Amino acid sequence: MSNTSAAMNTSTNGNQPKLSGPLAKASAATYEYLDDRTGLSAGLRRNLRKVFPDHWSFMLGEIALWSFVVVLLTGVFLTFFYVPSATEVVYNGSYVPLKGVMISEAYASTLNISFDVRGGLLIRQIHHWAALLFVVAIVVHLLRVFFTGAFRRPRELNWVIGVGILTLALLAGFTGYSLPDDLLSGTGLRIAGGILQSIPVVGTWGVFLLFDGEFPGTAWIPRFFVAHVLLVPGLLLALITAHLLLVFYQKHTQYPGPKRTNENVVGYPLMPVYMAKAGGFFFIVFGITTLMSALVTINPIWLYGPYMPDQVTSGAQPDWYIGWLEGALRMMPPIEWTIFGYTISWNILVPSVIMPGIVMTLLALYPFIEAWVTGDKREHNILQRPRNAPTRTGLGVMALTFYVILWANGGNDIIALAFNWSINSVTTLMRVLLFVLPPIAFVITKRICLGLQRRDRDKLLHGIETGRILRLPSGEFVEVHAPVDPDEVAVLLSKEEVLPLPMPPKRDANGVRTPGYAIKALRARMSNWWYRDDVPVVTLNELESGHHHAQEQVEIAGTYGVEPTVSEEVTAGHR
Amino acid sequence: MIKRPFAAAMARRRHPLAPLLVIVVALLGIAAVYAVVNAATAKAATSASETMVTKGSKLFAEGCASCHGLNAEGSSDGPSLVGAGAASVHFQVATGRMPLAAPGAQAMRKPPIYTEEEIQALAAYVATFGPGPAIPSAAQIDGWKTADIARGGELFRVNCAQCHHAAGSGGALTNGKYAPSLMKASPLEIYEAMLTGPQSMPVFGDASLPMEEKQQIIAYIEEMKRNNNPGGLSLGRLGPVTEGLFIWTIGLGAVIAAAVWIGAKVR
Amino acid sequence: MSKTKFDPYGEDNPANPKKPASSSGSTSSGAAQTHGGSYEEEIIAVEAPQEIDAKAAKRAERQVATMFMVSVVCTLGFVVAYFALPATATIELPLIGITNASNLSLGLALGLSTLLIGLGAIQWARKLMPHVEVIQQRHLLKPPDSLRKAALAQFSQGAADSGLGQRRLLRRTLLASLLVFPLPLIVLARGCGPAPKGELNETMWTGGLRFLADITYQPLKPSDVPIGGVVSAVPEGLLEVQKAQHNLNERAKSAVILIRMRPDQIRSQQGEGWDYQGILAFSKICTHVGCPIALYEQRTHHLLCPCHQSTFDLADDGKVIYGPAARRLPQLPITVDAEGYLVAREGFQEPVGPSFWERS
């Protein structure tokens, strides 16, 4: 174990080149000036060599961060040209198929950005593509965090913040989608208005306050604009900052592996490797979204025409992240009640208010629910392999299946058109699948996880099957097993032993009823359900005898001149 | 450039109305020639139409009567064609929708199996069963070339976009029916479709949608057909669904590939 | 909680092959967790830094420098393209069709210039920076008990000094004032819009109003609606109302469609004789969430909403036959006036558009 100063030197290759020259002198002077006044050194000293573990999946959140930065940068440009006004004007720009048509200033300015401002179309397309990528990356990052159990103590709060970011991202997306005031976005706004209007007691008031009267009015454009460029991004920035600070303070989780423990973090230092990698990745995300915007159209608002509340286009769709709500709304059967002269529209409330409310609440509370069921309140800095948490992985795939079916139904008309199916059959099929597929997905996923656990156990105990059969002098056939790579052993051994909560006694020794027995019993039962079927971990004794067995095998193989190692492909196939 | 010598020549003449006179005489001359030629062709057409009807009746008996009945009275397999009109027949057969390949929710566009001449003959024959919309003339169709595109766009969004999509890329209807993409339809076919309301499509008669407006709509569709995609690949002009697919596959794929490269062990 | 905790990272677990001596296993208490970390986060190099082969380094350096230089060229290309190409310049390409040349060139230039900076930086980090995996001990997230106690003690002292504990009256009145404090914010929100006064129940349709074809605003006669036809229409005077109100609110609810079928095809309608010679007028606004609907299938007389696929049978009362809409489409009774134009006989008999709480 070397001391800190030694560690500082290890990565400078010994011969540290001295920076000199006027530039270096000026930088040094500036640094001293700032350090004298802000005490910069303390923070730098502490954080410049901060270690981050390296894995591609740890960069999913970074994709979200960088695409958000791209959205902010391009958004500023767009505000210089966008006019948040519903005032009707005669379009007189370069796009011939709309020349002379009466349109709102909002739509006219968006056309102006697209056709008459140099680089305007590019920036608009980057803004939209990066916004789509932002939400995609958030969702994929969320899935990574979920399936590896990275939300467990001490990171529950950061999970909740993340769900807040996701919710705000949807809001930012929807308000932005509405601003061009084209036929497609206006239809989306109409639907949002209809949903708001359906809320019992306050719905009508809500519409009148949001739209300054009936739908659509003219107030919504400046209001959505302020929400889109100030309110929502402000909140997003605050939450993203908190999210990153917590990651920084708590240090990143890491995948199991050699030398990696719950108390350390193995990786590369922030300066220089991570600075270069993170900074470089920003430019890569920026570059990829820009190239996409050069080559692929997004939201061709000029094709849709201006919004008129009595016009509509087929294929009316929201951007992808609202698709699941659209799909739910399309799927719901027509149930509406009239009670004492008041209307309750379950056909709107259930898919658009109640279901998403429950989904987002469950999502936000998930870490606490799981911790309550399993009783696991330890700190976890080593990520769990999805197979080693079969119930969670099953639940995750189940929820994902539910989501994807809703999402697919949001495009039921496009599916019907593309595959020449009946839209009614597609919808009816989705209604059935929504309830049938998720439980099946749960069972299958759990079984697969358990199967993988069993294979891991076998691999630990017996090594890798090489597929080479030996015939012993006794006539017995044996398959040659090769020892597992030590790095992989560390991964395989990361599986934790599970201990379901014990059933509480109904009465204690004195015959007094256990307080809160019902809840405790429920919890124990759920914990049992959570952990049952789990494949036992390999104990030290088992491992030793297993090694012994493998060793024997190697010796036998050696005796008969068979190389006991496996080819690269076999190893890769087992990973 | 030719204006100048022409103006100079005019200046040499005495009477200022002389050029006008020349033009009027020239126009009258052209009109006279046109009238004679037209009369001749009309005569030829009348006699030709009789042979066409006979030819059409043969074709009808072979290819259509099994479903639509020998006298176009219709059967359980096909509707009556009495009063369907020549335009309807021309649309259905020229776009290959008729004869039907197989029963289904909707007849699909496919390569026509009859020649244009045979289709004209069929249309002429069916037109004899009862009055219906005639095949629009070239003059009726060609007006779109000078029609107001923007006006056409407004009419398109009120009358057509709800089924055919604002970009004309088509849309789904109930129970497997669909409004087809307009990107393959010719101006004549679009005109005929509006006039006759094939299959599920409503009729947009000349009373509610006069010829000029139909031409404007066609002009707008022709503009859409130019495949003008300022922003790049159109992704089928199907809206946010294909955009979502793109960002989830190509977009996410590209950034994740970069992330994997960044995270890959060196050497 | 009488659960025995298994510590997977303790000495007895083989998952921890090279456990740093400084770390100790967690205790049995679920809440308490101990780490070997301290305030100073120790960093330990795992392996000796590998010497980077000078030749390979030179090659990588050239590679990275080339990327940066090409990026410079692309950035300059962006500037040139910006000034050289007008915003409307077009270019025809295979696959894409006619596209905007300015967008294409600016995007390719900017995209490549940023992408190459990124690729260069990453390549630099990968090939030229020392890749020594290092171990850093995690520090304790939970501060030491003494620190926590001290902080809480300070807080208690402050609270005691403020007298918050003793002065019950002050405490309660402060709480009361803070509780009502947000009220102005809520009251201010009231100004965002007028109170609903039953506008959702009404449209401008009344008896005698003519139907104007949408967009052209020509009054419609029965002959303008052929059998199998559909015409989108608005009430006479809509444009004036729009002008006076400076919004599209009236259009959003009074748009209608006129369709025509043979009178014998009408199975039922919402009022006796509300059609005129087979011409029926229905609200164009979906009763689900308010999308305009005009996907009229003239053979089946079905009307489909493109937003959520609610399907209405216009030959049968306008009733819902599929989809999420729960209510039929309101019908408008029509007739013709003295000059032979189609007119409404009276206004809608029920609210049009999506449901709302006060609607019965």
Side-chain angles (χ1 to χ4, degrees):
Chain A
M1 308 269 160
S2 49
N3 64 25
T4 316
S5 61
M8 296 292 285
N9 282 336
T10 48
S11 45
T12 53
N13 260 356
N15 49 346
Q16 191 172 7
K18 286 271 189 295
L19 291 170
S20 60
L23 197 68
K25 257 184 203 160
S27 321
T30 315
Y31 180 80
E32 272 170 30
Y33 180 91
L34 288 174
D35 198 26
D36 288 348
R37 285 156 183 79
T38 59
L40 211 55
S41 288
L44 285 184
R45 159 73 186 77
R46 230 174 112 83
N47 292 323
L48 275 185
R49 300 292 296 178
K50 194 176 179 72
V51 173
F52 281 91
D54 214 16
H55 194 268
W56 67 267
S57 72
F58 294 163
M59 264 176 257
L60 296 169
E62 219 178 286
I63 299 173
L65 176 69
W66 296 138
S67 46
F68 182 65
V69 173
V70 173
V71 169
L72 283 185
L73 291 176
T74 49
V76 171
F77 178 87
L78 296 177
T79 58
F80 296 157
F81 302 96
Y82 175 75
V83 183
S85 155
T87 309
E88 295 268 308
V89 291
V90 176
Y91 178 70
N92 210 9
S94 299
Y95 185 65
V96 175
L98 282 171
K99 244 184 184 146
V101 177
M102 287 290 286
I103 59 178
S104 70
E105 277 189 294
Y107 186 56
S109 60
T110 316
L111 287 171
N112 183 43
I113 290 170
S114 306
F115 291 104
D116 294 296
V117 175
R118 282 192 196 190
L121 180 59
L122 180 69
I123 301 293
R124 220 197 97 225
Q125 298 210 116
I126 298 177
H127 189 71
H128 205 141
W129 276 125
L132 291 195
L133 183 62
F134 177 49
V135 195
V136 169
I138 290 177
V139 170
V140 181
H141 172 58
L142 179 142
L143 293 176
R144 197 281 294 167
V145 169
F146 181 88
F147 284 114
T148 58
F151 55 82
R152 291 173 299 169
R153 186 185 163 162
R155 294 177 181 80
E156 311 95 318
L157 293 180
N158 226 9
W159 168 272
V160 176
I161 292 175
V163 175
I165 292 174
L166 173 63
T167 314
L168 285 171
L170 299 187
L171 199 60
F174 181 75
T175 50
Y177 169 90
S178 301
L179 285 181
D181 198 25
D182 59 290
L183 188 53
L184 202 57
S185 74
T187 306
L189 188 71
R190 166 79 269 197
I191 295 169
I195 292 168
L196 179 59
Q197 193 170 303
S198 75
I199 297 173
V201 188
V202 296
T204 311
W205 269 95
V207 166
F208 273 66
L209 292 183
L210 180 65
F211 293 101
D212 189 15
E214 282 176 277
F215 175 88
T218 55
W220 72 267
I221 294 186
R223 288 178 184 180
F224 271 50
F225 181 64
V226 169
H228 182 71
V229 305
L230 182 76
L231 200 61
V232 181
L235 289 172
L236 264 175
L237 265 178
L239 286 191
I240 290 174
T241 310
H243 199 71
L244 291 176
L245 283 178
L246 268 176
V247 171
F248 208 79
Y249 176 70
Q250 294 178 337
K251 292 203 175 72
H252 209 287
T253 51
Q254 57 190 346
Y255 283 105
K259 304 183 194 83
R260 297 177 188 179
T261 72
N262 207 30
E263 287 86 27
N264 72 7
V265 50
V266 179
Y268 301 106
L270 182 66
M271 181 80 191
V273 178
Y274 260 90
M275 287 281 194
K277 284 190 172 180
F281 198 37
F282 163 68
F283 284 100
I284 287 179
V285 171
F286 198 169
I288 287 173
T289 46
T290 308
L291 287 178
M292 268 165 56
S293 311
L295 296 168
V296 189
T297 308
I298 185 157
N299 199 19
I301 46 131
W302 51 88
L303 289 179
Y304 303 134
Y307 178 58
M308 292 287 262
D310 59 344
Q311 293 176 9
V312 73
T313 168
S314 76
Q317 306 282 354
D319 272 346
W320 77 262
Y321 44 84
I322 307 286
W324 65 295
L325 298 174
E326 173 80 358
L329 199 52
R330 289 179 179 199
M331 196 184 280
M332 183 72 192
I335 303 169
E336 189 172 89
W337 290 354
T338 305
I339 300 172
F340 304 123
Y342 292 107
T343 302
I344 304 174
S345 304
W346 297 111
N347 53 345
I348 306 170
L349 288 173
V350 170
S352 316
V353 182
I354 297 170
M355 186 278 292
I358 292 174
V359 166
M360 293 312 277
T361 309
L362 280 181
L363 190 66
L365 295 182
Y366 183 81
F368 309 101
I369 297 171
E370 188 189 299
W372 186 79
V373 171
T374 59
D376 181 354
K377 287 178 179 146
R378 294 164 298 175
E379 264 184 25
H380 293 280
N381 296 317
I382 297 269
L383 294 173
Q384 223 167 359
R385 305 173 81 205
R387 69 185 62 172
N388 289 338
T391 307
R392 178 204 302 141
T393 306
L395 286 176
V397 173
M398 178 168 136
L400 201 60
T401 311
F402 182 81
Y403 177 89
V404 167
I405 291 166
L406 289 180
W407 190 19
N409 197 52
N412 59 0
D413 50 344
I414 303 293
I415 293 173
L417 186 68
F419 298 102
N420 206 5
W421 291 337
S422 156
I423 197 168
N424 305 52
S425 314
V426 172
T427 311
T428 309
L429 178 71
M430 295 288 187
R431 281 176 181 167
V432 175
L433 290 185
L434 187 71
F435 294 98
V436 174
L437 267 195
I440 294 177
F442 174 79
V443 173
I444 291 178
T445 310
K446 195 173 169 188
R447 290 294 129 196
I448 291 175
C449 287
L450 293 172
L452 289 171
Q453 281 191 10
R454 246 167 255 128
R455 213 175 72 177
D456 285 354
R457 189 182 155 85
D458 288 349
K459 216 195 270 185
L460 265 182
L461 291 178
H462 311 301
I464 301 173
E465 293 167 6
T466 59
R468 260 179 273 183
I469 310 292
L470 269 191
R471 191 174 171 211
L472 301 182
S474 58
E476 188 191 353
F477 285 94
V478 292
E479 189 181 0
V480 179
H481 286 240
V484 186
D485 177 57
D487 283 10
E488 205 190 342
V489 172
V491 175
L492 293 177
L493 283 174
S494 71
K495 181 172 162 23
E496 296 174 29
E497 190 184 344
V498 297
L499 285 173
L501 296 175
M503 202 66 182
K506 238 182 184 145
R507 292 170 197 284
D508 65 11
N510 302 327
V512 182
R513 246 188 103 83
T514 312
Y517 171 78
I519 301 277
K520 281 179 183 159
L522 173 74
R523 190 177 172 193
R525 244 177 256 125
M526 285 177 77
S527 163
N528 238 326
W529 169 77
W530 188 274
Y531 282 131
R532 71 165 187 221
D533 310 329
D534 207 87
V535 176
V537 296
V538 178
T539 64
L540 209 53
N541 285 341
E542 281 178 320
L543 191 66
E544 263 165 15
S545 62
H547 271 313
H548 189 66
H549 177 70
Q551 200 54 44
E552 242 167 39
Q553 278 250 323
V554 171
E555 278 160 18
I556 293 171
T559 319
Y560 295 94
V562 178
E563 189 61 43
T565 49
V566 277
S567 60
E568 277 299 311
E569 304 94 84
V570 175
T571 321
H574 278 78
R575 273 195 187 153
Chain B
M1 312 319 120
I2 45 162
K3 258 185 198 160
R4 210 169 282 273
F6 186 59
M10 283 205 318
R12 258 178 266 129
R13 298 193 185 264
R14 265 191 209 147
H15 204 289
L17 285 181
L20 192 68
L21 193 73
V22 173
I23 292 170
V24 170
V25 169
L27 280 177
L28 280 175
I30 292 168
V33 171
Y34 182 75
V36 171
V37 171
N38 211 22
T41 48
K43 209 175 212 173
T46 335
S47 55
S49 73
E50 278 165 30
T51 54
M52 277 194 31
V53 168
T54 353
K55 193 179 169 196
S57 75
K58 260 191 205 153
L59 289 168
F60 187 88
E62 287 164 11
C64 318
S66 58
C67 296
H68 293 290
L70 264 176
N71 296 311
E73 71 278 10
S75 76
S76 56
D77 294 330
S80 160
L81 298 181
V82 176
S88 182
V89 175
H90 185 263
F91 174 85
Q92 297 283 0
V93 184
T95 60
R97 289 182 166 84
M98 289 292 147
L100 211 54
Q106 184 160 332
M108 286 155 83
R109 189 188 182 98
K110 56 184 186 295
I113 61 167
Y114 293 102
T115 64
E116 180 61 27
E117 202 199 345
E118 289 169 328
I119 297 168
Q120 293 283 353
L122 268 175
Y125 175 64
V126 173
T128 60
F129 289 118
I135 299 172
S137 69
Q140 273 173 298
I141 303 298
D142 290 343
W144 73 263
K145 287 170 184 159
T146 51
D148 183 345
I149 294 175
R151 184 68 168 170
E154 288 187 275
L155 291 163
F156 185 85
R157 284 188 290 277
V158 159
N159 293 301
C160 321
Q162 64 264 30
C163 301
H164 292 285
H165 194 279
S169 43
L173 301 176
T174 64
N175 294 313
K177 298 187 281 287
Y178 62 93
S181 162
L182 300 174
M183 295 302 108
K184 282 184 195 150
S186 71
L188 174 63
E189 289 160 14
I190 297 167
Y191 202 112
E192 286 170 342
M194 289 192 276
L195 211 53
T196 61
Q199 307 198 43
S200 295
M201 180 166 161
V203 179
F204 295 89
D206 277 340
S208 64
L209 203 69
M211 179 183 77
E212 295 74 31
E213 294 179 10
K214 286 195 174 75
Q215 289 168 347
Q216 287 163 351
I217 288 178
I218 291 171
Y220 185 74
I221 297 171
E222 288 299 309
E223 173 67 28
M224 296 291 108
K225 276 162 69 178
R226 276 180 60 227
N227 201 18
N228 191 355
N229 300 309
L233 278 176
S234 70
L235 300 180
R237 289 186 178 167
L238 288 170
V241 171
T242 44
E243 290 162 7
L245 270 181
F246 186 85
I247 194 71
W248 269 97
T249 51
I250 313 271
L252 182 67
V255 281
I256 285 191
V260 170
W261 176 62
I262 294 171
K265 279 255 185 286
V266 189
R267 289 180 289 264
Chain C
M1 267 278 310
S2 60
K3 184 185 164 214
T4 42
K5 292 278 177 185
F6 172 77
D7 175 19
Y9 305 105
E11 303 286 349
D12 56 340
N13 192 322
N16 214 344
K18 269 188 197 167
K19 200 169 166 60
S22 54
S23 75
S24 60
S26 68
T27 61
S28 61
S29 152
Q33 191 85 27
T34 55
H35 281 275
S38 61
Y39 181 77
E40 284 289 327
E41 291 153 9
E42 205 177 3
I43 295 176
I44 304 145
V46 173
E47 57 211 70
Q50 280 177 310
E51 266 323 307
I52 298 168
D53 173 39
K55 229 179 186 176
K58 202 74 211 155
R59 199 168 52 236
E61 194 179 355
R62 268 201 305 275
Q63 235 175 36
V64 173
T66 312
M67 288 185 195
F68 289 158
M69 278 320 292
V70 176
S71 166
V72 170
V73 172
C74 287
T75 309
L76 295 179
F78 180 92
V79 177
V80 171
Y82 183 91
F83 290 108
L85 291 170
T88 47
T90 57
I91 181 173
E92 187 152 9
L93 292 175
L95 242 79
I96 294 179
I98 305 163
T99 193
N100 184 310
S102 170
N103 182 64
L104 183 75
S105 47
L106 291 178
L108 288 179
L110 183 65
L112 285 177
S113 87
T114 44
L115 189 67
L116 284 167
I117 295 177
L119 295 179
I122 303 292
Q123 189 69 340
W124 185 347
R126 281 167 54 85
K127 296 280 185 186
L128 294 167
M129 291 180 192
H131 262 68
V132 183
E133 262 204 342
V134 287
I135 298 179
Q136 186 172 27
Q137 287 307 117
R138 290 178 187 274
H139 64 105
L140 281 176
L141 294 181
K142 171 184 168 296
D145 284 344
S146 55
L147 182 61
R148 183 181 287 182
K149 258 189 204 138
L152 285 175
Q154 270 176 7
F155 180 82
S156 313
Q157 184 59 45
D161 289 351
S162 72
L164 206 66
Q166 293 89 45
R167 302 186 198 280
R168 186 184 285 180
L169 181 67
L170 285 187
R171 200 169 66 219
R172 289 191 175 173
T173 47
L174 173 68
L175 195 69
S177 65
L178 288 178
L179 274 178
V180 295
F181 179 69
L183 210 57
L185 292 180
I186 299 165
V187 172
L188 281 171
R190 169 65 190 86
C192 287
K197 288 192 195 71
E199 291 93 334
L200 295 182
N201 294 316
E202 290 152 17
T203 70
M204 68 181 281
W205 282 107
T206 53
L209 273 191
R210 283 178 181 171
F211 291 81
L212 306 184
D214 203 351
I215 299 299
T216 57
Y217 304 108
Q218 296 303 309
L220 291 162
K221 287 185 167 171
S223 57
D224 293 336
V225 189
I227 287 183
V230 57
V231 177
S232 286
V234 295
E236 173 187 7
L238 175 74
L239 290 182
E240 288 73 19
V241 171
Q242 266 177 218
K243 218 170 240 172
Q245 295 182 342
H246 297 290
N247 62 38
L248 300 170
N249 296 3
E250 190 55 47
R251 181 184 285 270
K253 54 184 181 175
S254 60
V256 294
I257 54 165
L258 293 165
I259 54 146
R260 188 174 202 163
M261 55 189 89
R262 290 198 318 273
D264 61 288
Q265 288 175 320
I266 302 176
R267 290 199 295 280
S268 73
Q269 47 181 330
Q270 292 173 20
E272 192 65 38
W274 278 15
D275 70 310
Y276 179 79
Q277 295 176 356
I279 300 178
L280 300 158
F282 281 96
S283 165
K284 197 179 180 178
I285 311 302
C286 187
T287 58
H288 180 220
V289 283
C291 287
I293 20 175
L295 280 79
Y296 177 59
E297 299 176 4
Q298 57 113 342
R299 288 255 180 95
T300 55
H301 311 300
H302 292 170
L303 189 69
L304 170 74
C305 179
C307 293
H308 306 103
Q309 288 87 43
S310 296
T311 310
F312 303 87
D313 189 349
L314 299 191
D316 194 4
D317 204 23
K319 74 174 184 201
V320 183
I321 53 167
Y322 192 81
R327 278 182 295 106
R328 66 182 187 182
L329 213 52
Q331 189 186 351
L332 192 63
I334 56 170
T335 182
V336 292
D337 63 9
E339 290 166 68
Y341 289 106
L342 283 168
V343 293
R345 273 204 295 192
E346 52 194 328
F348 279 108
Q349 301 298 299
E350 55 190 285
V352 302
S355 292
F356 50 98
W357 174 245
E358 298 87 351
R359 185 192 192 283
S360 51

